[in-house]
Amino acid sequence: MGAEGAAPIIFRKELEKAGNAAELLQEKIRQYREEFANPYRAAEHLHVDDVIDPAETRLKLIAALEMVINKQEDLPKKKHVLFPLK
């Protein structure tokens, strides 16, 4: 959901009380973009691992997929057998 969709929901009570709701909505959209919808905010909370240059995206994806191409998961054996129920 973008700022245009989120701001009317988050700031609904303020918009209902405002005399000029359209102008306040534009201000709240700008505020939402500055506070929540920016990459620096996500990086502060450690949600960003790396910033990839668009020219290097293909190489990074290939390297990541090659790293796990032969990966095998060792699952524990089942403790119980499921018998057919009638």
Side-chain angles (χ1 to χ4, degrees):
M1 178 180 295
E4 289 81 10
I9 296 170
I10 294 171
F11 303 109
R12 177 177 48 91
K13 290 181 182 178
E14 292 178 43
L15 292 170
E16 288 173 356
K17 294 177 184 176
N20 191 352
E23 185 177 314
L24 182 62
L25 177 60
Q26 293 306 315
E27 175 63 26
K28 294 299 182 182
I29 289 172
R30 186 191 60 73
Q31 178 184 350
Y32 181 87
R33 284 187 179 134
E34 288 176 4
E35 292 183 18
F36 303 108
N38 78 45
Y40 303 109
R41 180 83 170 185
E44 286 175 5
H45 296 284
L46 304 175
H47 296 297
V48 177
D49 293 331
D50 193 9
V51 177
I52 302 172
D53 181 22
E56 297 176 6
T57 303
R58 185 180 301 257
L59 297 173
K60 294 276 189 179
L61 283 173
I62 290 170
L65 291 172
E66 284 177 344
M67 191 179 344
V68 296
I69 196 165
N70 294 321
K71 180 180 176 182
Q72 293 180 355
E73 290 188 52
D74 296 328
L75 299 175
K77 293 187 177 190
K78 292 183 179 180
K79 291 183 179 180
H80 304 286
V81 183
L82 290 176
F83 296 103
L85 301 173
K86 291 185 181 184

